[in-house]
Amino acid sequence: MKNNKNLFLDDMRMPSDAYMEKLYDNPHTLYIDKEWVLVENFEQFKQWIENNGMPDIISFDHDLAPSHYTPKELWTDYEKSKEWQDNQVHSELTGAGCALWLMKFCEDEKLDLPQCIVHSANPVGRDKIIRILGL
């Protein structure tokens, strides 16, 4: 069941921020042309979908809690950033965890995956979400 809503997963930013940042190859006008429901973490993400049905579009951030943020000195080195991120154990799920849950939920409920885009500024996290969702 679709509900003509769009879900924006991010702990800090608003859709207009994603539009202004023009990260990667996102279809940027979606962030200002459409209405978005904001969710900040895995629990809100999961609960919203379970309670409201599948949105038309989901835009993913990766880092959803302070512990997810890569130290600034690693931002310019993808491999070191990836190594640091791969060694972290988080008490809260990242956007990649949300993507994994979504894939399983769609499979279990026999639902099509909605349109998914990734607005994360974290290139390692962005790549994880893209791999999980097969984008």
Side-chain angles (χ1 to χ4, degrees):
M1 168 182 81
K2 289 206 172 200
N3 62 26
N4 297 318
K5 296 280 186 180
N6 305 301
L7 206 55
F8 188 83
L9 174 65
D10 200 304
D11 64 321
M12 296 178 63
R13 290 176 291 187
M14 305 293 284
S16 59
D17 298 327
Y19 171 76
M20 295 301 291
E21 290 174 8
K22 297 187 182 343
L23 296 169
Y24 308 103
D25 56 356
N26 288 336
H28 307 297
T29 59
L30 286 175
Y31 294 116
I32 56 172
D33 292 343
K34 303 223 177 248
E35 291 187 34
W36 294 88
V37 174
L38 308 176
V39 291
E40 296 180 353
N41 57 47
F42 171 75
E43 287 304 320
Q44 290 177 9
F45 178 83
K46 178 180 175 229
Q47 184 177 46
W48 193 92
I49 292 172
E50 289 177 339
N51 291 339
N52 297 287
M54 197 58 65
D56 289 335
I57 303 169
I58 302 174
S59 187
F60 287 84
D61 184 24
H62 181 268
D63 302 341
L64 302 176
S67 67
H68 299 165
Y69 291 95
T70 305
K72 192 171 186 171
E73 63 270 13
L74 301 177
W75 287 3
T76 57
D77 188 323
Y78 185 93
E79 291 306 317
K80 286 183 181 177
S81 178
K82 183 177 183 332
E83 181 182 345
W84 182 87
Q85 290 180 47
D86 288 347
N87 288 321
Q88 302 308 301
V89 177
H90 302 291
S91 59
E92 297 183 48
L93 291 179
T94 64
C98 293
L100 284 169
W101 176 86
L102 179 67
M103 293 296 288
K104 182 161 178 18
F105 181 79
C106 286
E107 181 182 315
D108 291 350
E109 299 297 319
K110 298 184 182 11
L111 298 171
D112 290 332
L113 192 65
Q115 179 182 350
C116 294
I117 52 180
V118 183
H119 66 268
S120 182
N122 175 339
V124 175
R126 180 179 192 271
D127 288 349
K128 284 181 190 176
I129 295 169
I130 287 170
R131 261 193 321 277
I132 291 165
L133 297 173
L135 301 178

